[in-house]
Amino acid sequence: MKKIALVTDSTADLPEEIRTEYDIHVVPLKVRFKDREYLDYEIAGDKFYELLSQSDELPTTSQPSPEDFRRLYEELLEEYDEVVSIHISSGLSGTINAANVAAEKFGNKVHIVDSKTISLGIGLMTMEAAEIIKTGVDAAKVVERLSEVRKNVELLFTLNTLEYLQKGGRIGRVQGIMGTLLNIKPIVRVGDDGIYQTYSKARSQEKALKTIIQAFEDMSRVKKCKMLVVAHGAAEEAGLYLKGALESILGIKAKIFTQVGPIIGVHTGPGTVGAAVLFG
């Protein structure tokens, strides 16, 4: 049986204990506040959101280089026979392009997977990949099965403000200003094409969270929930509310409750709350 290493990037927002439990290797992205640059995991969530609130300029993010990936793959292939590398949607970041460039050096030993999702959606796929690897299949089979896993991952989150999407160029200025003035809280999902989609809109965070809860309850009537994860951006109270409600409705404890990391947080801002569910 071949030994398979599992790699993802830091946008998966996986806590350290989960990375250790599932033997997941992580390539970090970077966030820069003016003249200070941090690797994703070098700056804790609380500190990041504090800096974000104090900054008069939106921090910038940058993806890993092909060389960053090459070094890790080379190191892993000294111990493992193959690598499965799962990354943020190609529709939202160029990270996977760098991974593909690096993988070319290693022939068919490195297998790159476009998760077509973000944050804990990637986390769910990566954890499920670890479980598939335990069954003893080869890397090509892991990749094949992950295409089915992606179809059963649903991620929904709500933003407290459209300011950060607007500043980051993800939505138009007028739309961002009008949304803020009207106190609109969008509920967002990542579609099958790996691009942000507006699932719904609400006039308060409470109503937005209830929309998310209702959506997952409706889904659970036709599909069984296999794993639940919940995340927030400097909104622990709202995150705990969502976690408790979903645990009650879905009949399963959240595998992860964490804070959204800097890379995703730059674009979503404080007050973001969401959940991802793996059905199966």
Side-chain angles (χ1 to χ4, degrees), residues 88-199:
I88 182 173
S89 172
S90 59
L92 299 171
S93 170
T95 297
I96 201 165
N97 296 332
N100 276 318
V101 170
E104 290 176 359
K105 178 180 178 182
F106 304 100
N108 59 1
K109 291 185 178 181
V110 177
H111 304 257
I112 307 298
V113 177
D114 184 348
S115 72
K116 294 189 177 180
T117 186
I118 60 167
S119 190
L120 288 176
I122 311 170
L124 282 176
M125 289 186 65
T126 306
M127 289 187 286
E128 188 66 6
E131 296 296 338
I132 296 170
I133 287 170
K134 288 178 184 177
T135 67
V137 300
D138 62 19
K141 190 67 175 178
V142 175
V143 172
E144 180 183 331
R145 287 173 63 177
L146 281 175
S147 65
E148 292 301 312
V149 171
R150 175 61 185 93
K151 295 175 184 177
N152 290 308
V153 170
E154 188 63 57
L155 170 71
L156 291 172
F157 62 95
T158 183
L159 305 175
N160 195 47
T161 174
L162 295 173
E163 175 187 355
Y164 295 90
L165 281 181
Q166 177 197 323
K167 286 181 177 178
R170 302 287 171 146
I171 60 173
R173 182 172 181 271
V174 172
Q175 185 178 348
I177 292 172
M178 289 303 297
T180 300
L181 288 174
L182 295 171
N183 199 29
I184 290 173
K185 313 297 183 187
I187 296 94
V188 181
R189 71 183 294 266
V190 182
D192 296 337
D193 56 359
I195 303 294
Y196 290 137
Q197 297 178 354
T198 300
Y199 178 84

Side-chain angles (χ1 to χ4, degrees), residues 240-260:
L240 287 171
Y241 167 76
L242 181 62
K243 173 178 175 289
L246 290 177
E247 286 179 335
S248 176
I249 287 168
L250 300 176
I252 187 172
K253 290 293 184 182
K255 178 69 176 178
I256 296 172
F257 179 73
T258 192
Q259 189 146 237
V260 177

Side-chain angles (χ1 to χ4, degrees), residues 21 25 35 46 58 60 63 79 122 124 129 169 172 220 223 238 247 269 272:
E21 178 184 349
H25 305 270
D35 57 351
D46 289 341
L58 187 70
T60 58
Q63 66 199 40
E79 180 182 352
I122 311 170
L124 282 176
S220 70
K223 297 185 285 187
E247 286 179 335
T272 298

Side-chain angles (χ1 to χ4, degrees), residues 26-44:
V26 176
V27 178
L29 278 76
K30 301 168 187 174
V31 60
R32 175 179 287 276
F33 285 88
K34 293 185 177 178
D35 57 351
R36 179 78 185 272
E37 186 173 74
Y38 302 87
L39 291 175
D40 201 348
Y41 287 130
E42 283 182 335
I43 179 170

